[in-house]
Amino acid sequence: QVQLVESGGGSVQSGGSLRLSCAASAFTARTMGWFRQAPGKEREGVAADNTVNQPQYADSVKGRFTISRDSKNTLYLQMDRLKPEDTAMYYCAAVADIMYGYLLNRATYVYWGQGTQVTVSS
């Protein structure tokens, strides 16, 4: 059974850092991404990687967040210079194929984790 398990969320003050992890089991994901959803808002793409092209980032996080993955198919999101507006539930998403477009679009992904909460206080 395919599972994506996120970890690393928490509470931090503005300007701080957090590192999220997403462990994928039971399959090899070629395209993976991070999404977030704040209360009352739509789920939005934050960062994505397809192992072929340069990672994609939402404009709101460019220069502050870095997506990466290791040889064990674990996905990471290093979040620096966090802002209160980064507060949200963060979700890992994955699909087996290499996707070349719409990497920050929810519809691209098949598998989703349960989410990890990130709270940034001012």
Side-chain angles (χ1 to χ4, degrees):
Q1 182 177 354
V2 174
Q3 272 194 314
L4 299 177
V5 180
E6 303 101 331
S7 61
S11 297
V12 64
Q13 288 193 325
S14 182
S17 298
L18 284 173
R19 189 192 195 203
L20 305 183
S21 300
C22 172
S25 62
F27 90 123
T28 299
R30 300 294 186 91
T31 302
M32 299 183 77
W34 288 99
F35 287 73
R36 67 186 180 186
Q37 188 167 18
K41 294 189 176 181
E42 295 282 326
R43 190 172 298 189
E44 63 174 356
V46 174
D49 171 70
N50 68 358
T51 73
V52 176
N53 301 124
Q54 290 294 314
Q56 292 188 15
Y57 296 94
D59 288 343
S60 58
V61 306
K62 281 180 181 176
R64 300 188 298 120
F65 290 11
T66 304
I67 190 171
S68 63
R69 68 168 86 185
D70 64 18
S71 59
K72 297 181 180 180
N73 211 32
T74 298
L75 186 72
Y76 301 97
L77 185 67
Q78 178 66 41
M79 305 185 293
D80 298 317
R81 302 196 302 280
L82 282 160
K83 304 176 180 180
E85 50 264 44
D86 294 318
T87 295
M89 184 72 79
Y90 282 70
Y91 297 91
C92 174
V95 61
D97 299 326
I98 297 175
M99 308 300 286
Y100 292 95
Y102 303 101
L103 296 190
L104 297 181
N105 189 309
R106 293 171 55 183
T108 296
Y109 298 89
V110 175
Y111 304 104
W112 293 84
Q114 293 300 306
T116 185
Q117 178 67 38
V118 171
T119 302
V120 185
S121 58
S122 57

